[in-house]
């Protein structure tokens, strides 16, 4: 990674959970090791013990510190006070780069960055959607509002970063052809994550790992599990690993269907611990951008069964037999049954380690993101007038 002048980089996002948090942690570590000064600004009201441990892992790389303020998921009058408080905190950190992730993070980074520019401070403003607002439909009133706001915010954006072709194409279709600089940079995982994780002797047949909310499809997983048992004519076992607002509802669903003893539930944990519990990982999402869980599963040598949504086909292959129709538990059960009953199914359907590693490496991701930062901050190999002080 090129060692140009050290940059002061601040990542802004709302909730420190899931793929966005994972993405930012990788960038933080890689860019800090390359000699840059990194900070995080995110919500103070979400996350639990698992996320606290993840923050502890990256704290040594956060020379600009960890700043947490209350950031609501929905738009509310309190956002005005949050924006003012956030602006003051960002101003004190004197960033060269403000990189917003997700809808709320994108608003904070771009509005705060634009306010700094009004005060004659030069800062690069970037936005990565990570799905987020792009999941909304143009046919709904809310969707129209959200997508028009995305269009408006292009005027305050120096670069849009897309994490997969699907996200780039969806943006163009729903928001419009971008009127600012864009870059396609795939999510990636680290070298140490391309090591097989062997299953335990007491492994279950299937695991679901992720947020417990309908968008991610835990209800489809439960429904498909029951149908897979009927297709194979024998009882199976599974685990749902994660936290989320609908946890109790999924537990009640399993009990009502008599599956309470065959599907267990565990809180969020480190991914290598989760992957040791099964060979078959099911990703039944109704919508995604580029989920890390698929990359992590492939790196660990797991068998992935996933919905044909977002950038997942770009990883597994557009014609992969492991892809199922989103929202269709019958199709999901069919593939789950095939994975268990067909000899050599994993070898025939999963992409090779080498193929995944060539494209979806965190080193490549961090290198390309940093190159983009420098293009914006130092457009002519010099500085983007970064020496102007905040008054």
């Amino acid at each position: 990674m090129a060692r140009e002048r050290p940059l002061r980089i601040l990542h802004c996002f709302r909730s420190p959970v899931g793929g966005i948090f994972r993405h930012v942690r990788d960038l933080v570590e890689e860019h800090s090791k390359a000699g840059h000064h990194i900070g995080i600004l995110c919500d103070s009201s979400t996350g639990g013990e698992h996320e606290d441990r993840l923050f502890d892992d990256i704290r040594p790389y956060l020379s600009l510190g960890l700043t947490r303020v209350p950031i609501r998921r929905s738009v509310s009058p309190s956002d005005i006070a949050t924006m003012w408080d956030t602006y003051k905190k960002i101003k004190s950190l004197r960033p060269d780069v403000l990189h917003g992730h997700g809808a709320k993070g994108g608003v904070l980074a771009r509005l705060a960055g634009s306010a700094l520019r009004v005060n004659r401070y030069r800062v690069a403003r970037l936005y990565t959607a990570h799905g987020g607002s792009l999941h909304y439909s143009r046919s709904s009133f809310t969707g129209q509002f959200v997508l028009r706001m995305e269009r408006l915010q292009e005027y305050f954006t120096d670069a849009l970063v897309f994490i997969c072709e699907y996200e780039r194409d969806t943006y163009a279709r729903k928001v419009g052809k971008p009127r600012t600089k864009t870059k396609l940079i795939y999510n990636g995982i680290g070298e140490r994550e391309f090591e097989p994780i062997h299953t335990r002797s007491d492994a279950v047949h299937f695991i679901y790992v992720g947020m417990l909310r309908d968008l991610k499809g835990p209800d489809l997983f439960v429904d498909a599990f029951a149908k897979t048992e009927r297709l194979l004519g024998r009882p199976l076992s599974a685990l749902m690993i994660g936290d989320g607002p609908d946890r109790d509802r999924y537990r009640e669903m399993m009990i009502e269907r008599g599956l309470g003893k065959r599907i267990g539930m565990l809180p969020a944990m480190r991914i290598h611990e989760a992957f040791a519990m099964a060979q078959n990982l099911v990703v039944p999402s109704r919508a995604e951008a580029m989920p890390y869980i698929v990359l992590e599963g492939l790196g660990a040598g797991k068998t992935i069964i996933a919905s044909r949504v977002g950038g997942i086909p770009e990883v597994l292959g557009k014609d992969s037999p492991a892809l199922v129709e989103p929202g269709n538990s019958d199709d999901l059960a069919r593939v789950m049954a095939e994975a268990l009953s067909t000899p050599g199914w994993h070898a025939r359907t999963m992409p090779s380690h080498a193929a995944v590693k060539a494209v979806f490496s965190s080193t490549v991701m961090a290198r390309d993101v940093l190159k983009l930062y420098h293009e914006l901050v130092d457009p002519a190999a010099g500085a983007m007038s970064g020496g102007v002080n905040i008054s």
Side-chain angles (χ1 to χ4, degrees):
M1 191 174 292
R3 282 186 174 271
E4 301 178 75
R5 77 173 180 89
L7 299 177
R8 299 175 68 85
I9 303 163
L10 184 65
H11 294 279
C12 303
F13 55 98
R14 193 187 75 83
S15 183
V17 298
I20 289 180
F21 190 27
R22 163 64 203 263
H23 180 83
V24 171
R25 295 198 314 273
D26 284 344
L27 292 178
V28 165
E29 182 174 349
E30 293 278 353
H31 290 162
S32 175
K33 289 179 178 178
H36 302 280
H37 304 290
I38 319 295
I40 284 177
L41 185 145
C42 66
D43 179 40
S44 58
S45 61
T46 51
E49 293 181 2
H50 175 64
E51 287 71 31
D52 289 341
R53 290 192 294 270
L54 295 176
F55 273 125
D56 289 340
D57 290 345
I58 62 167
R59 209 175 293 273
Y61 304 110
L62 296 174
S63 57
L64 299 185
L66 170 63
T67 302
R68 304 195 69 175
V69 296
I71 306 173
R72 295 165 58 95
R73 176 183 291 274
S74 57
V75 177
S76 74
S78 67
D79 287 348
I80 298 174
T82 298
M83 274 300 307
W84 175 242
D85 186 42
T86 300
Y87 169 73
K88 290 188 292 183
K89 293 179 184 299
I90 291 174
K91 182 179 179 181
S92 70
L93 294 172
R94 300 179 292 109
D96 296 303
V97 174
L98 278 172
H99 194 157
H101 303 266
K104 273 298 184 77
V107 171
L108 290 173
R110 290 181 284 184
L111 290 186
S114 299
L116 289 175
R117 286 197 174 192
V118 169
N119 287 324
R120 301 179 62 79
Y121 183 79
R122 195 73 164 156
V123 59
R125 304 157 300 176
L126 296 92
Y127 171 55
T128 304
H130 297 278
S133 58
L134 301 183
H135 292 321
Y136 284 90
S137 170
R138 294 184 65 182
S139 62
S140 69
F141 175 79
T142 301
Q144 284 283 346
F145 172 77
V146 169
L147 296 170
R148 285 176 179 174
M149 287 299 295
E150 288 285 4
R151 191 60 157 176
L152 176 64
Q153 289 180 93
E154 284 185 1
Y155 291 106
F156 315 113
T157 308
D158 297 304
L160 296 168
V161 181
F162 298 115
I163 58 175
C164 59
E165 292 179 8
Y166 169 82
E167 185 173 82
R168 181 190 61 192
D169 297 344
T170 301
Y171 187 98
R173 186 176 73 253
K174 291 186 176 183
V175 178
K177 184 178 179 181
R179 295 177 293 200
T180 189
K181 186 180 184 70
T182 66
K183 189 74 173 179
L184 172 63
I185 303 175
Y186 278 116
N187 283 347
I189 59 175
E191 183 73 28
R192 62 182 178 271
E193 294 172 283
F194 285 98
E195 295 291 336
I197 296 177
H198 301 290
T199 56
R200 294 167 17 170
S201 58
D202 59 347
V204 297
H205 293 99
F206 300 104
I207 54 171
Y208 165 92
V209 182
M211 284 289 290
L212 299 181
R213 51 191 291 239
D214 282 353
L215 184 71
K216 300 296 184 179
D219 56 320
L220 296 170
F221 177 71
V222 173
D223 196 26
F225 176 85
K227 292 176 178 178
T228 303
E229 287 191 322
R230 291 197 288 272
L231 286 172
L232 296 178
R234 59 188 174 95
L236 302 172
S237 58
L239 280 171
M240 295 176 64
I241 302 170
D243 300 306
D246 298 320
R247 181 184 181 90
D248 292 342
R249 181 160 59 83
Y250 301 138
R251 166 57 68 186
E252 291 173 4
M253 180 189 303
M254 288 185 284
I255 293 173
E256 288 174 1
R257 300 185 183 193
L259 301 172
K261 293 183 178 181
R262 299 199 294 284
I263 304 179
M265 299 187 82
L266 293 173
M269 62 182 68
R270 293 188 183 275
I271 198 67
H272 66 272
E273 297 173 356
F275 284 163
M277 296 180 180
Q279 173 59 31
N280 300 296
L281 171 67
V282 181
V283 184
S285 303
R286 290 180 167 88
E288 286 287 359
M290 174 59 77
Y292 269 98
I293 190 66
V294 172
L295 302 180
E296 292 166 332
L298 290 173
K302 299 301 170 181
T303 301
I304 312 297
I305 301 164
S307 300
R308 187 185 295 276
V309 294
I312 296 177
E314 296 170 51
V315 184
L316 295 180
K318 290 180 170 56
D319 298 319
S320 172
L323 294 171
V324 304
E325 292 306 309
N328 189 329
S329 61
D330 289 329
D331 198 33
L332 182 57
R334 175 187 62 79
V335 178
M336 289 168 67
E338 286 180 1
L340 282 188
S341 61
T342 307
W345 195 85
H346 171 96
R348 290 201 305 274
T349 58
M350 294 298 103
S352 69
H353 260 156
V356 176
K357 197 172 184 179
V359 179
F360 303 101
S361 158
S362 63
T363 301
V364 173
M365 175 187 73
R367 180 200 66 201
D368 290 348
V369 170
L370 185 58
K371 180 180 178 183
L372 178 59
Y373 290 165
H374 277 292
E375 288 174 2
L376 298 172
V377 175
D378 305 308
M384 183 177 147
S385 302
V388 179
N389 294 320
I390 300 178
S391 58

